[in-house]
Amino acid sequence: MSHNTYGHLFRVTTWGESHGPSIGCVIDGCPPGIGLTTEDIQPWLDRRKPGTSRFVTQRREDDEVSILSGVFEDDEIRRLHGGPVTTGTPISLLIQNTDQRSRDYQDIRELYRPGHADFTYDRKYGLRDYRGGGRSSARETASRVAAGAVARKVLGPSIRLRAAVIQLGPHRINRDNWNWETCESNPFWCPDASAAPLWEEYLDSIRKKGSSCGAIIEAVADGVPPGWGAPIYGKLDADLASAFMSINAVKGVEIGAGFEAAALSGEDNADEMRMSGGDVRFLSNNNGGILGGISTGQPIVVRMAVKPTSSILTPRQTVTASGAETDIRTRGRHDPCVGVRAAPVAEAMLAAVLADHKLRHTGQTGR
Amino acid sequence: MSHNTYGHLFRVTTWGESHGPSIGCVIDGCPPGIGLTTEDIQPWLDRRKPGTSRFVTQRREDDEVSILSGVFEDDEIRRLHGGPVTTGTPISLLIQNTDQRSRDYQDIRELYRPGHADFTYDRKYGLRDYRGGGRSSARETASRVAAGAVARKVLGPSIRLRAAVIQLGPHRINRDNWNWETCESNPFWCPDASAAPLWEEYLDSIRKKGSSCGAIIEAVADGVPPGWGAPIYGKLDADLASAFMSINAVKGVEIGAGFEAAALSGEDNADEMRMSGGDVRFLSNNNGGILGGISTGQPIVVRMAVKPTSSILTPRQTVTASGAETDIRTRGRHDPCVGVRAAPVAEAMLAAVLADHKLRHTGQTGR
Amino acid sequence: MSHNTYGHLFRVTTWGESHGPSIGCVIDGCPPGIGLTTEDIQPWLDRRKPGTSRFVTQRREDDEVSILSGVFEDDEIRRLHGGPVTTGTPISLLIQNTDQRSRDYQDIRELYRPGHADFTYDRKYGLRDYRGGGRSSARETASRVAAGAVARKVLGPSIRLRAAVIQLGPHRINRDNWNWETCESNPFWCPDASAAPLWEEYLDSIRKKGSSCGAIIEAVADGVPPGWGAPIYGKLDADLASAFMSINAVKGVEIGAGFEAAALSGEDNADEMRMSGGDVRFLSNNNGGILGGISTGQPIVVRMAVKPTSSILTPRQTVTASGAETDIRTRGRHDPCVGVRAAPVAEAMLAAVLADHKLRHTGQTGR
Amino acid sequence: MSHNTYGHLFRVTTWGESHGPSIGCVIDGCPPGIGLTTEDIQPWLDRRKPGTSRFVTQRREDDEVSILSGVFEDDEIRRLHGGPVTTGTPISLLIQNTDQRSRDYQDIRELYRPGHADFTYDRKYGLRDYRGGGRSSARETASRVAAGAVARKVLGPSIRLRAAVIQLGPHRINRDNWNWETCESNPFWCPDASAAPLWEEYLDSIRKKGSSCGAIIEAVADGVPPGWGAPIYGKLDADLASAFMSINAVKGVEIGAGFEAAALSGEDNADEMRMSGGDVRFLSNNNGGILGGISTGQPIVVRMAVKPTSSILTPRQTVTASGAETDIRTRGRHDPCVGVRAAPVAEAMLAAVLADHKLRHTGQTGR
């Protein structure tokens, strides 16, 4: 019943609307003694930040994070850790909303935008903050990225979390070209250097005609030891499925071979095992690093499908709150593919779920 | 932290192992005053029961359910309801395990079967009940089906829950041929009468060579009113993703257009709205009946991918608990496609998640 | 929202009514590798069992417990542990109800017994299982005692849990006479040998006139290390308060000096600290072993007040479900002081709360 | 496992330390459509505010609350409700810490103050924010009072919540003199006009000698309908026990007759029932408005015992973090009875628990 909280031992509660004064989150359950400053968080927020290329929303936000609680330093701590550390108490993070345009939202007050949560919020709550989507805006994911940065600190340097966009609209990458470093050199988190220019051309055309497209993101965690997770209803993959499906516009989640597994034979799907240097080594990773809900020690591989941005410039048929039929077209800022900015969010959710499962093993105190 | 419990207000805790004396579940949060006898549960269990065709495991189980608590009748109640009703207290259901073969499991004590949870259970717990998979056996899903039958009673007759197998191995149905009644006339829950004979031939060949294949199941709920669910982390689709991913062997979950949505344009993906008889009518259902985590009033559509049965007759490379390399092949009972029997389980999880969300609206008391 | 579950990591879900076929519980979160047979549980159930003296209800129950899941043994485990061990999966315990008298309960169908939950269950649920109190019967506490026995195994032999009745009706013990062994030699768990005969006389008089009295129970845990618990809303004392207040007929809970603390001066209340053998030693224990919600390493001391048995032979004024005024008096079995049998229940709840907090430190896997 | 969250459907997560930049809370689960401005919250904060008399801490805080999310207004809403209303999304409240004195806390860095959480925090976390008690400071209760004000809005005007101090040190009020209005005319929330001057004299003497005393607070809710709460482990009284015991310095909680009930006879304790104007009327309220964990419709009566302020001017024996024996005495601001300011906190917790149970009946949406 935690509509705005995720996690069990590493718990994150987010709050805030697109056009309120600020957004933020409270992280409960972070173990004590972990060095934490805004410098650990800000770089991840900067990766998700709007306005960084012509392919993402032109909303201008600094997304500057403040830490309001849960860390402490004195001379002794500074000497030992070089700065403040977590104390085990809740960490409150706050991000100001600076670009809440003062334009008139009255025109969408009554309109239900197809693909958005306008109609369903109204049916559930009877009213909604319609400015920029209010609580249902992708702006909420900034809080997730901030919390994910703290989760990374809980996981430590031995676990590496990365995400790439592997499909943009109908265009899939060639996995043989996969290079993580390539992700950093194009505005799409595309790991395939040969695909990136084609994507740029494609997305430009989409953008120019005011249309939109979807994307598939793949998130990978390297270095997770075997034995994390839990069977039946506390499964690592079930928690990942829930966490990823909770991201705005996501319509599908898969682990390892995912939907492809249905078409494999039992022989091909089996991840055979050998010994290597005293450790178990799997010869393939169709299971995506998880068996029976518990990590195998292989990379954790999660993919999610993001639907096309619902706000487009072409008019669509819709209805009003009072039951009149009408058309709607988005005006102003337009984001041709929300999936592009979802990669840092996927990383953050992966980090948070793994931090949660790590604490189930080490105990919440974390000493 | 409820490894063996799912749901928030309609909570189901399952227990039991494949080769223990019995399995069962406790359902907490069922509203009072709902007629409930074993006759409401048994038919659904019978649909999932092993041994009903040559395409499913030959384990012989009656799967006869007992209700140990949570219902009551006296003359007055019998007069009003025709039998016992729920009282609002926990409903304890018990199913005996009758076919726990006495064969020697010592040979798999040390062996890690690829695709199974043997290795990961050992790494997490340091020991495991290896008889028939113990707790990780699909036998646990009988408890889910029993609980799902109670969830159906909570939802009432206005909501219809059905599931079909839409892909068997690489063979997809033709959706134009979809007929729900066809599902009842073949052993595969296949809704496409022209596909069923081909599937039979295909699965026979798989079975004869001791191989296995996966499947994709689609579950649909008709009659869910708009406004169920909750935004952000209590999303109806996030809860469905978690519930479905927790089913044995499931590697992917999608809602509505799912992974296909990534390749759609914003124009094509938009579910446009018109008025019809005073109500909002959507012209398509790419969103699978859920927007912003809240039901739209359209059918809820969930698909899940089931990997091929891991136990196959062809030897696979593996290792032992003590680190020796060896081969393994399954002997005895063999189930060529566990996905076939997963359709009733998918229905049950859909029912449980919806019952849970219904209670968030009506309150748990349910009067 | 777990109306029938307590605990966070060590979770116990109880089910069953006074006059159903059986009662029981499911324990989720017990770490693996702990030796567990019915012999670990049965002795504690026997201490709570009805019918053991003329001062407790004459209902005849064997209270024989079965373990239906969550334990496993094979030759190797038997060799190492001497019997079955827990596997980390849910432990299902079942106790048959053998003495469900077939008497007619129709007379209390309509009557609201003062002090019982009849009226409130009817207002909440609209109906109730009125046979022997149904779910609200003290019979439910047998499941708690069984679960408490498992919690004791989780805590291990270094932690000792005991409870005594320190006040019976208006008669308080003299704490100077406290001797834990005395508790075992009288039917009241009275630790004061000089008080016991007076209590016997007093309770006989109460019993003979068909009246009833209350009691105060003190439960003590020795050997709890410092650092268990958590601040603010996960406080060890807050969890204990909830657990003890949930026991039938309990109207008050206090820790350490409890209500007496209000009248102490700050000087007298302060538990001063000295060093002793390298460890911190407190000079007094007004805090009852808990400061800021976290254990200090001193004995944990909890007291609870149990109200007099509500079922008495003297008529009391009441009303019927249909709104008529009438009188009621209990017939048949009569329990002059339910508090007497509450001591083993208090021990069990103390064990369960401590096991839960232990797991927060060690992690749920418990390896 | 929600160490900083309370409630199930009406969930409050508090954060912040005594000497951090700010404190606050996030309220999740508040139904939509409820008018809410800072004017609904500020008056309750002002009642708890430090520095209002010479009997409470002289820390100077404005305790000015900001609402950062979860409310919305436009012209239409303003016209209908006169101001912003809740939207059903999380309400983030923030209070600046303005009086974080810059004095040197180095002297208590190493010292474990008796009665405080210094020793236990260090044992649990390995470090602590020792400035003014950090997270364990009573400052955290300002967030509770703010959340309680929102809970009051959820409960509506038909439910009245009040609290009084009924014992100060060893001095109990005479209940025959009870007058709620008197509480507002003395600095002790004392409902007995004849006791207040004696208390003033007593507390002045305590204050002058740098000592401290405890208190007992009684909180009462009028207007709660019958049927709220839930049996077994979701009991209204168990939730109240946990909520009250979580307040700083509380060592005991009781409902209705509480510990006195132990000494009553069954005849005297029975709250007999009659009819009155078509409704059930109880002739007494020993049960404190709760039977079987469910409200009876009578006033809910909860009492809590607060221990004497631990910080006193008389030296006490203690030890340092490095194991040296020493003495400690508090310097600077001194609060002779923390119990005095606990009355508004008790009211707030009562409001929050009741709001939570109300939502279980009406459903979380609240329409």
Side-chain angles (χ1 to χ4, degrees):
Chain A
M1 296 309 302
S2 308
H3 296 165
N4 295 284
T5 300
Y6 60 91
H8 304 274
L9 294 187
F10 184 83
R11 297 171 62 79
V12 179
T13 301
T14 71
W15 56 267
E17 285 89 34
S18 173
H19 284 61
S22 48
I23 60 169
C25 63
V26 182
I27 301 163
D28 192 10
C30 183
I34 298 175
L36 185 71
T37 70
T38 56
E39 286 167 36
D40 294 304
I41 305 173
Q42 198 61 53
W44 304 106
L45 274 172
D46 292 346
R47 289 163 71 92
R48 195 212 70 102
K49 213 161 65 172
T52 50
S53 86
R54 69 181 182 280
F55 302 113
V56 296
T57 179
Q58 295 308 301
R59 178 170 173 152
R60 297 278 168 197
E61 288 290 355
D62 285 339
D63 277 354
E64 199 178 315
V65 68
S66 307
I67 303 177
L68 301 183
S69 66
V71 296
F72 181 60
E73 68 177 329
D74 59 11
D75 292 346
E76 176 74 3
I77 291 172
R78 209 174 294 115
R79 197 177 56 75
L80 286 169
H81 299 273
V85 297
T86 58
T87 58
T89 63
I91 299 166
S92 177
L93 303 179
L94 188 135
I95 302 166
Q96 301 291 342
N97 284 334
T98 52
D99 186 11
Q100 315 129 266
R101 292 208 187 167
S102 57
R103 79 175 173 91
D104 190 4
Y105 282 93
Q106 284 305 113
D107 53 341
I108 62 162
R109 188 189 195 285
E110 283 287 301
L111 281 176
Y112 294 144
R113 296 167 299 162
H116 282 284
D118 303 339
F119 170 68
T120 54
Y121 267 60
D122 249 21
R123 284 297 167 105
K124 180 177 173 69
Y125 295 119
L127 84 167
R128 67 185 202 281
D129 178 348
Y130 43 79
R131 299 166 304 163
R135 180 72 180 145
S136 72
S137 165
R139 177 118 197 89
E140 185 269 342
T141 60
S143 297
R144 302 185 188 219
V145 170
V150 179
R152 283 173 191 270
K153 298 286 294 197
V154 172
L155 291 170
S158 63
I159 292 179
R160 188 162 193 183
L161 300 146
R162 290 178 292 194
V165 177
I166 63 165
Q167 184 176 321
L168 189 81
H171 304 294
R172 193 92 174 204
I173 62 156
N174 180 345
R175 295 186 77 91
D176 294 338
N177 297 337
W178 193 298
N179 183 338
W180 280 111
E181 283 169 25
T182 304
C183 290
E184 305 292 328
S185 60
N186 63 68
F188 315 107
W189 312 104
C190 175
D192 174 356
S194 68
L198 302 174
W199 287 16
E200 179 156 357
E201 195 175 336
Y202 170 74
L203 201 56
D204 256 334
S205 81
I206 290 282
R207 184 175 63 85
K208 280 171 189 161
K209 63 182 171 191
S211 182
S212 66
C213 68
I216 298 179
I217 286 104
E218 181 167 321
V220 180
D222 292 293
V224 176
W228 288 13
I232 315 301
Y233 310 115
K235 283 179 172 164
L236 187 50
D237 36 357
D239 277 5
L240 287 167
S242 171
F244 279 66
M245 193 68 94
S246 79
I247 299 172
N248 307 47
V250 170
K251 300 305 286 184
V253 183
E254 58 181 16
I255 309 288
F259 276 87
E260 302 283 328
L264 294 175
S265 71
E267 288 77 10
D268 288 345
N269 183 63
D271 296 322
E272 295 182 290
M273 288 178 262
R274 297 281 85 181
M275 296 304 295
S276 169
D279 264 350
V280 170
R281 180 172 57 90
F282 289 86
L283 304 186
S284 54
N285 191 15
N286 288 309
N287 285 307
I290 304 173
L291 280 171
I294 302 167
S295 64
T296 63
Q298 292 179 283
I300 309 282
V301 180
V302 193
R303 271 182 301 282
M304 69 182 195
V306 181
K307 70 179 184 186
T309 313
S310 295
S311 298
I312 50 180
L313 304 194
T314 314
R316 295 284 96 186
Q317 299 180 78
T318 192
V319 300
T320 69
S322 36
E325 299 192 336
T326 183
D327 281 3
I328 188 167
R329 58 182 295 269
T330 298
R331 276 168 297 183
R333 301 190 287 222
H334 168 245
D335 202 346
C337 180
V338 286
V340 166
R341 280 172 64 222
V345 183
E347 283 181 12
M349 297 312 285
L350 183 54
V353 170
L354 288 171
D356 196 27
H357 280 272
K358 179 181 181 181
L359 295 184
R360 300 189 196 191
H361 285 254
T362 57
Q364 193 164 20
T365 313
R367 297 175 64 189
Chain B
M1 295 308 300
S2 308
H3 296 165
N4 296 283
T5 300
Y6 59 92
H8 304 274
L9 294 187
F10 184 84
R11 295 172 63 80
V12 180
T13 301
T14 70
W15 55 268
E17 286 89 32
S18 173
H19 284 62
S22 48
I23 60 169
C25 64
V26 182
I27 301 162
D28 192 9
C30 182
I34 298 175
L36 186 71
T37 70
T38 56
E39 285 166 37
D40 294 306
I41 305 173
Q42 198 62 52
W44 304 107
L45 275 172
D46 293 345
R47 289 163 72 92
R48 196 212 68 102
K49 213 161 66 172
T52 51
S53 85
R54 69 181 181 280
F55 301 112
V56 297
T57 179
Q58 295 308 303
R59 177 170 174 153
R60 297 278 167 196
E61 287 290 355
D62 285 340
D63 277 356
E64 199 178 315
V65 68
S66 306
I67 304 177
L68 301 182
S69 66
V71 295
F72 181 59
E73 68 177 329
D74 60 9
D75 292 346
E76 176 74 2
I77 290 172
R78 210 173 295 115
R79 196 177 57 76
L80 285 170
H81 299 273
V85 297
T86 59
T87 58
T89 63
I91 299 167
S92 177
L93 303 180
L94 188 135
I95 302 167
Q96 301 291 342
N97 284 336
T98 52
D99 186 11
Q100 315 129 265
R101 292 210 187 166
S102 55
R103 79 175 173 92
D104 190 4
Y105 281 93
Q106 284 305 114
D107 54 340
I108 61 161
R109 187 189 195 285
E110 283 287 302
L111 281 176
Y112 294 144
R113 296 168 298 162
H116 282 284
D118 303 338
F119 169 69
T120 53
Y121 268 60
D122 249 22
R123 283 299 168 105
K124 180 177 173 68
Y125 295 119
L127 85 167
R128 68 185 202 280
D129 179 348
Y130 43 78
R131 300 165 304 163
R135 180 72 180 146
S136 73
S137 165
R139 177 119 196 87
E140 185 268 341
T141 60
S143 298
R144 302 184 189 219
V145 171
V150 179
R152 284 173 191 269
K153 298 286 295 197
V154 172
L155 292 170
S158 63
I159 292 179
R160 188 164 193 180
L161 300 146
R162 289 178 291 193
V165 177
I166 63 165
Q167 184 176 322
L168 189 80
H171 304 294
R172 193 90 174 205
I173 62 157
N174 180 345
R175 294 186 78 92
D176 294 339
N177 298 337
W178 194 297
N179 183 338
W180 280 112
E181 283 169 26
T182 303
C183 290
E184 305 293 328
S185 60
N186 63 68
F188 314 107
W189 312 103
C190 175
D192 174 356
S194 67
L198 302 173
W199 286 16
E200 180 157 356
E201 195 175 335
Y202 170 74
L203 200 56
D204 256 332
S205 80
I206 291 281
R207 184 176 60 85
K208 280 172 189 158
K209 62 182 172 192
S211 182
S212 66
C213 69
I216 297 179
I217 285 104
E218 181 167 321
V220 180
D222 292 292
V224 176
W228 288 13
I232 315 302
Y233 309 115
K235 283 180 172 165
L236 187 50
D237 35 359
D239 277 6
L240 287 167
S242 172
F244 279 67
M245 193 68 94
S246 78
I247 300 173
N248 308 47
V250 169
K251 300 305 286 183
V253 182
E254 58 181 16
I255 308 288
F259 276 86
E260 303 284 326
L264 294 175
S265 71
E267 288 77 10
D268 288 344
N269 182 63
D271 297 321
E272 294 182 291
M273 288 178 263
R274 296 281 87 180
M275 296 304 294
S276 170
D279 264 350
V280 170
R281 181 171 56 91
F282 290 85
L283 304 186
S284 54
N285 191 15
N286 288 309
N287 285 308
I290 304 173
L291 280 170
I294 302 168
S295 63
T296 63
Q298 292 180 281
I300 309 283
V301 180
V302 193
R303 272 181 301 281
M304 68 183 196
V306 181
K307 71 179 184 185
T309 313
S310 294
S311 298
I312 50 179
L313 304 195
T314 312
R316 294 285 96 187
Q317 300 181 77
T318 192
V319 300
T320 68
S322 37
E325 299 191 335
T326 182
D327 280 3
I328 187 167
R329 58 181 294 270
T330 299
R331 278 168 297 183
R333 303 189 286 220
H334 166 245
D335 202 347
C337 180
V338 287
V340 168
R341 281 170 63 221
V345 183
E347 283 180 12
M349 297 312 284
L350 183 54
V353 170
L354 288 171
D356 195 28
H357 280 273
K358 179 181 181 181
L359 295 183
R360 301 190 196 191
H361 285 255
T362 56
Q364 193 165 21
T365 313
R367 296 176 65 190
Chain C
M1 295 308 300
S2 309
H3 296 166
N4 296 282
T5 299
Y6 60 91
H8 304 273
L9 293 186
F10 184 84
R11 295 172 62 79
V12 180
T13 302
T14 70
W15 56 267
E17 285 89 33
S18 171
H19 284 62
S22 47
I23 61 169
C25 63
V26 182
I27 301 163
D28 193 9
C30 182
I34 298 175
L36 185 71
T37 70
T38 55
E39 286 167 36
D40 293 305
I41 304 173
Q42 198 61 53
W44 303 106
L45 275 172
D46 293 345
R47 288 163 73 92
R48 195 212 69 102
K49 214 162 63 173
T52 50
S53 84
R54 71 181 181 278
F55 302 112
V56 295
T57 179
Q58 295 307 303
R59 177 169 174 153
R60 297 277 167 197
E61 288 291 354
D62 284 339
D63 276 355
E64 199 178 315
V65 69
S66 306
I67 304 177
L68 301 182
S69 68
V71 296
F72 181 59
E73 68 176 329
D74 59 10
D75 292 346
E76 176 74 3
I77 291 172
R78 211 173 294 115
R79 196 177 58 72
L80 285 170
H81 299 274
V85 298
T86 58
T87 59
T89 62
I91 299 167
S92 176
L93 303 179
L94 188 135
I95 302 166
Q96 301 292 341
N97 284 334
T98 51
D99 186 12
Q100 316 129 267
R101 294 212 185 164
S102 56
R103 81 175 173 90
D104 189 4
Y105 281 93
Q106 285 305 113
D107 53 341
I108 62 161
R109 188 189 193 287
E110 284 287 302
L111 281 176
Y112 294 144
R113 295 168 298 161
H116 283 284
D118 303 338
F119 169 69
T120 53
Y121 267 59
D122 248 22
R123 284 298 168 107
K124 180 177 174 66
Y125 294 119
L127 84 167
R128 67 184 202 280
D129 178 348
Y130 42 79
R131 299 167 304 163
R135 181 73 179 145
S136 72
S137 165
R139 177 117 196 88
E140 186 268 344
T141 60
S143 297
R144 302 185 188 219
V145 170
V150 179
R152 283 173 191 270
K153 298 286 294 200
V154 172
L155 292 170
S158 63
I159 292 179
R160 187 163 195 183
L161 301 146
R162 290 178 290 194
V165 178
I166 62 165
Q167 184 176 322
L168 189 81
H171 303 293
R172 193 92 176 204
I173 61 156
N174 179 346
R175 295 186 78 91
D176 294 339
N177 298 338
W178 194 297
N179 183 337
W180 279 111
E181 284 169 26
T182 303
C183 290
E184 305 294 328
S185 59
N186 64 67
F188 314 107
W189 312 104
C190 175
D192 174 356
S194 67
L198 303 174
W199 287 16
E200 181 159 352
E201 194 176 337
Y202 170 74
L203 200 56
D204 255 334
S205 80
I206 290 282
R207 184 174 62 84
K208 279 171 191 161
K209 63 183 171 189
S211 182
S212 66
C213 68
I216 296 179
I217 286 105
E218 181 167 320
V220 180
D222 292 292
V224 176
W228 287 11
I232 316 302
Y233 310 115
K235 283 179 172 166
L236 187 51
D237 36 357
D239 278 5
L240 287 167
S242 172
F244 279 67
M245 194 68 94
S246 79
I247 299 173
N248 308 45
V250 170
K251 300 305 287 183
V253 183
E254 59 181 16
I255 309 288
F259 276 87
E260 303 283 328
L264 294 176
S265 71
E267 288 77 8
D268 289 343
N269 183 61
D271 296 321
E272 295 181 290
M273 288 178 262
R274 297 282 87 181
M275 296 304 295
S276 169
D279 266 349
V280 170
R281 180 171 57 91
F282 289 85
L283 304 185
S284 55
N285 191 15
N286 288 310
N287 285 307
I290 304 173
L291 280 171
I294 302 168
S295 64
T296 62
Q298 292 180 284
I300 308 282
V301 180
V302 193
R303 274 181 299 281
M304 68 183 195
V306 182
K307 71 180 184 183
T309 313
S310 294
S311 298
I312 49 179
L313 305 194
T314 313
R316 293 286 95 186
Q317 298 181 79
T318 191
V319 299
T320 69
S322 36
E325 299 191 334
T326 182
D327 280 4
I328 188 167
R329 57 183 293 270
T330 299
R331 277 168 298 181
R333 299 189 288 219
H334 166 246
D335 203 346
C337 179
V338 287
V340 167
R341 281 171 63 221
V345 183
E347 282 180 14
M349 297 312 284
L350 183 54
V353 170
L354 288 172
D356 196 28
H357 280 273
K358 179 181 181 181
L359 295 184
R360 300 189 195 191
H361 285 253
T362 57
Q364 193 165 19
T365 313
R367 296 176 64 189
Chain D
M1 294 307 300
S2 309
H3 296 166
N4 296 282
T5 300
Y6 59 92
H8 304 273
L9 294 186
F10 184 84
R11 297 172 62 79
V12 180
T13 301
T14 71
W15 56 267
E17 286 88 34
S18 172
H19 284 62
S22 48
I23 60 170
C25 63
V26 182
I27 301 163
D28 192 8
C30 182
I34 298 175
L36 185 71
T37 70
T38 55
E39 285 166 37
D40 293 305
I41 305 173
Q42 198 61 54
W44 304 107
L45 274 171
D46 292 345
R47 289 163 73 91
R48 194 212 70 100
K49 214 162 62 172
T52 50
S53 84
R54 73 181 180 279
F55 302 113
V56 296
T57 179
Q58 295 308 300
R59 177 168 172 153
R60 297 279 167 195
E61 288 291 355
D62 283 339
D63 277 355
E64 199 177 315
V65 69
S66 306
I67 303 177
L68 301 183
S69 66
V71 296
F72 181 59
E73 68 176 330
D74 59 10
D75 292 346
E76 176 73 4
I77 291 171
R78 210 175 294 114
R79 196 178 56 76
L80 285 170
H81 299 273
V85 297
T86 59
T87 59
T89 63
I91 300 166
S92 176
L93 303 180
L94 189 135
I95 302 167
Q96 302 291 343
N97 284 334
T98 52
D99 186 12
Q100 315 129 267
R101 293 210 185 166
S102 56
R103 78 175 174 91
D104 189 4
Y105 281 94
Q106 284 305 113
D107 53 341
I108 62 161
R109 188 190 193 286
E110 283 287 302
L111 281 176
Y112 294 144
R113 295 167 299 161
H116 282 284
D118 303 338
F119 169 69
T120 53
Y121 267 60
D122 248 21
R123 283 298 167 106
K124 180 176 173 67
Y125 295 119
L127 84 167
R128 68 185 201 280
D129 179 348
Y130 43 78
R131 299 166 305 163
R135 180 72 179 145
S136 72
S137 165
R139 177 118 195 88
E140 186 268 343
T141 61
S143 297
R144 303 184 186 219
V145 170
V150 179
R152 284 173 191 269
K153 298 286 294 200
V154 172
L155 291 170
S158 63
I159 292 179
R160 188 164 194 182
L161 300 145
R162 290 178 289 193
V165 177
I166 62 166
Q167 184 176 323
L168 189 81
H171 303 293
R172 192 92 175 205
I173 62 156
N174 179 345
R175 294 186 78 91
D176 294 339
N177 298 338
W178 194 298
N179 183 336
W180 281 111
E181 283 169 27
T182 303
C183 290
E184 306 293 327
S185 61
N186 63 68
F188 314 107
W189 311 103
C190 176
D192 173 357
S194 67
L198 303 174
W199 287 14
E200 180 158 356
E201 195 176 338
Y202 170 74
L203 201 55
D204 256 333
S205 80
I206 290 282
R207 185 174 62 85
K208 280 171 189 158
K209 63 184 172 190
S211 182
S212 67
C213 68
I216 297 179
I217 286 105
E218 181 167 320
V220 180
D222 292 292
V224 176
W228 287 12
I232 316 302
Y233 309 115
K235 284 179 171 164
L236 186 50
D237 36 358
D239 278 6
L240 288 167
S242 172
F244 279 66
M245 193 68 94
S246 78
I247 300 172
N248 308 46
V250 170
K251 301 304 286 182
V253 183
E254 58 182 17
I255 309 288
F259 276 86
E260 303 283 328
L264 293 176
S265 71
E267 288 77 9
D268 288 344
N269 184 61
D271 296 322
E272 295 182 290
M273 287 178 262
R274 297 280 86 181
M275 296 304 294
S276 169
D279 265 350
V280 170
R281 181 172 56 91
F282 290 85
L283 305 185
S284 55
N285 190 16
N286 287 309
N287 286 307
I290 304 174
L291 280 171
I294 303 167
S295 63
T296 63
Q298 291 179 283
I300 309 281
V301 181
V302 193
R303 272 181 300 282
M304 68 183 196
V306 181
K307 71 180 184 184
T309 312
S310 295
S311 298
I312 49 179
L313 304 194
T314 313
R316 294 286 94 187
Q317 299 180 78
T318 191
V319 300
T320 69
S322 36
E325 299 191 335
T326 182
D327 280 4
I328 187 167
R329 58 182 292 270
T330 299
R331 277 168 298 184
R333 300 188 289 220
H334 166 246
D335 203 346
C337 180
V338 286
V340 167
R341 281 171 64 223
V345 183
E347 282 180 12
M349 296 312 284
L350 183 54
V353 170
L354 289 172
D356 196 27
H357 280 272
K358 179 182 181 181
L359 295 183
R360 300 189 196 191
H361 284 253
T362 56
Q364 193 165 22
T365 313
R367 295 175 65 190

